Amino acid sequence: MRAANPDAVALAGGTDLMVDLNFDRLRPPAVLDLTRVQELREWAPEDGCLRVGAGVSYTRIIDELGDRLPGLSIASRTVGSLQIRNRGTVGGNLATASPAGDGLPPLYTSGALVELASRRGSRRMPVAEFITGPKRTALAPHELIAAFVLPPAGGPQQFAKVGTRNAMVIAVCSVSLALWPEERRVATCIGSAGPTPLPAADADAFIAGVLDEHDHWASRAPLPPAALQRFGELAGQAARPIDDVRGTADYRRRAVGVMARRTLSWAWSELGRS
Ligand SMILES: Cc1cc2nc3c(=O)[nH]c(=O)nc-3n(C[C@H](O)[C@H](O)[C@H](O)COP(=O)(O)OP(=O)(O)OC[C@H]3O[C@@H](n4cnc5c(N)ncnc54)[C@H](O)[C@@H]3O)c2cc1C
């Protein structure tokens, strides 16, 4: 049907699409309802990773995958309301590719691949290549997002989001962080403070150096406060925020730094307890 109807707009949960239809921003000639495609709603282990169908709702990610994908699950809990989480999908979040999409930064910190399918076959690409700009992706008109594929957590994962209120809110900015103790690696990604989710590569390299130098991975000793501070500063510098109705660029950069520091100390304490 996708191949036969290239102008049709796909509908998963409809929580982005229906807003566009209601506000008359979009008048597609046809809507392709994906909700009856059972394969899109399934998840399964695959070669040590998890392959999660594009149509798995946030509620199911929280309920069924919370232990294996804690970072994505914490982020999912901040999405909209219960009703939005029951309908909304990570596939829809990926296709919309909003810089504020809360499901996206955890995919970056886990090195997720996005699987695209069409009659010509399927292809997989890193999420950072799939998202090419604000609301822009590598999805071709004849393709659908079939799934995303990522390793289960190798250690503690965290997500923090600042909004203008506590719930039902678009992120002013967010931070996702994953510890990969076996690889002695920290992965941080910033949301809603740039045109796309932005990995904080310098901050990650800096803290990996500190952790290695003092063999913190083995001792799991508390992180030196000065290193946490510097990590936050470097994460803030990785943001490329703008001033808009939700917040100023300065505020976002500062909040990213604070959230980076906090998510790292939460994750590190959790590792120490494990
Ligand atoms: C009240 C409200 C609160 C919200 N709060 C948040 C929030 O806190 N955080 C957040 O990130 N988002 C939020 N959103 C936005 C929305 O819920 C998410 O982006 C959600 O992930 C969209 O998923 P969906 O399944 O509903 O997508 P849909 O609306 O069905 O589709 C969205 C887009 O993706 C395309 N699409 C969907 N599935 C596929 C597929 N398999 N292959 C190809 N294209 C596809 C559609 O054609 C459409 O362009 C909110 C929305 C509302 C209405």
Side-chain angles (χ1 to χ4, degrees), residues 146-162:
F148 56 96
V149 181
L150 73 182
Q157 299 186 341
Q158 282 294 343
F159 177 84
K161 165 174 164 180
V162 172

Side-chain angles (χ1 to χ4, degrees), residues 9-19 34 40 54 58 78-81 84 87-93 95-96 100-103 139 143-146 161 168-170:
V9 172
L11 177 140
T15 61
D16 274 326
L17 184 60
M18 290 310 298
V19 176
L34 303 177
L40 293 178
Y58 291 110
T78 76
V79 172
S81 60
I84 296 294
R87 299 273 325 176
T89 64
V90 176
N93 214 228
T96 295
D102 291 317
L139 186 75
E143 287 179 314
L144 289 170
I145 304 170
K161 165 174 164 180
M168 279 288 281
V169 69
I170 301 184

Side-chain angles (χ1 to χ4, degrees), residues 87-181:
R87 299 273 325 176
T89 64
V90 176
N93 214 228
L94 278 164
T96 295
S98 159
D102 291 317
L104 307 178
L107 300 187
Y108 281 65
T109 54
S110 289
L113 300 177
V114 181
E115 182 181 314
L116 307 177
S118 73
R119 284 181 68 179
R120 295 176 207 170
S122 72
R123 57 183 180 132
R124 288 181 179 181
M125 64 176 68
V127 64
E129 278 173 37
F130 174 75
I131 295 176
T132 54
K135 302 209 166 183
R136 286 205 312 271
T137 72
L139 186 75
H142 62 278
E143 287 179 314
L144 289 170
I145 304 170
F148 56 96
V149 181
L150 73 182
Q157 299 186 341
Q158 282 294 343
F159 177 84
K161 165 174 164 180
V162 172
T164 48
R165 57 184 182 183
N166 267 344
M168 279 288 281
V169 69
I170 301 184
V172 173
C173 53
S174 69
V175 168
S176 173
L177 180 136
L179 297 184
W180 298 96

Side-chain angles (χ1 to χ4, degrees), residues 3-270:
N5 300 278
D7 294 337
V9 172
L11 177 140
T15 61
D16 274 326
L17 184 60
M18 290 310 298
V19 176
D20 282 342
L21 294 184
N22 288 342
F23 281 94
D24 239 342
R25 290 196 283 249
L26 212 61
R27 279 286 146 205
V31 170
L32 193 63
D33 180 3
L34 303 177
T35 57
R36 294 190 206 165
V37 184
Q38 185 54 33
E39 291 88 335
L40 293 178
R41 301 157 70 97
E42 289 166 359
W43 64 263
E46 186 196 91
D47 299 332
C49 284
L50 291 161
R51 181 182 178 279
V52 185
V56 175
S57 67
Y58 291 110
T59 297
R60 286 185 52 212
I61 285 172
I62 297 164
D63 292 349
E64 300 169 27
L65 291 166
D67 54 345
R68 278 160 280 196
L69 302 176
L72 181 59
S73 178
I74 298 169
S76 298
R77 272 189 231 127
T78 76
V79 172
S81 60
L82 186 60
Q83 295 89 335
I84 296 294
R85 292 192 291 272
N86 283 344
R87 299 273 325 176
T89 64
V90 176
N93 214 228
L94 278 164
T96 295
S98 159
D102 291 317
L104 307 178
L107 300 187
Y108 281 65
T109 54
S110 289
L113 300 177
V114 181
E115 182 181 314
L116 307 177
S118 73
R119 284 181 68 179
R120 295 176 207 170
S122 72
R123 57 183 180 132
R124 288 181 179 181
M125 64 176 68
V127 64
E129 278 173 37
F130 174 75
I131 295 176
T132 54
K135 302 209 166 183
R136 286 205 312 271
T137 72
L139 186 75
H142 62 278
E143 287 179 314
L144 289 170
I145 304 170
F148 56 96
V149 181
L150 73 182
Q157 299 186 341
Q158 282 294 343
F159 177 84
K161 165 174 164 180
V162 172
T164 48
R165 57 184 182 183
N166 267 344
M168 279 288 281
V169 69
I170 301 184
V172 173
C173 53
S174 69
V175 168
S176 173
L177 180 136
L179 297 184
W180 298 96
E182 239 172 63
E183 299 157 41
R184 297 182 154 235
R185 196 162 64 80
V186 177
T188 311
C189 183
I190 300 160
S192 209
T196 64
L198 295 170
D202 288 347
D204 291 344
F206 163 76
I207 202 69
V210 171
L211 293 171
D212 264 343
E213 197 184 344
H214 303 289
D215 209 15
H216 273 75
W217 290 110
S219 70
R220 301 193 174 172
L223 293 172
L228 267 177
Q229 182 68 28
R230 183 71 189 136
F231 176 74
E233 283 165 14
L234 288 169
Q237 285 167 21
R240 285 161 52 201
I242 52 167
D243 293 325
D244 69 10
V245 286
R246 279 177 280 133
T248 63
D250 278 351
Y251 174 75
R252 284 186 160 106
R253 198 171 283 113
R254 187 174 161 75
V256 162
V258 172
M259 286 189 291
R261 217 168 60 211
R262 285 187 187 160
T263 50
L264 177 59
S265 57
W266 295 335
W268 191 257
S269 311
E270 200 183 323

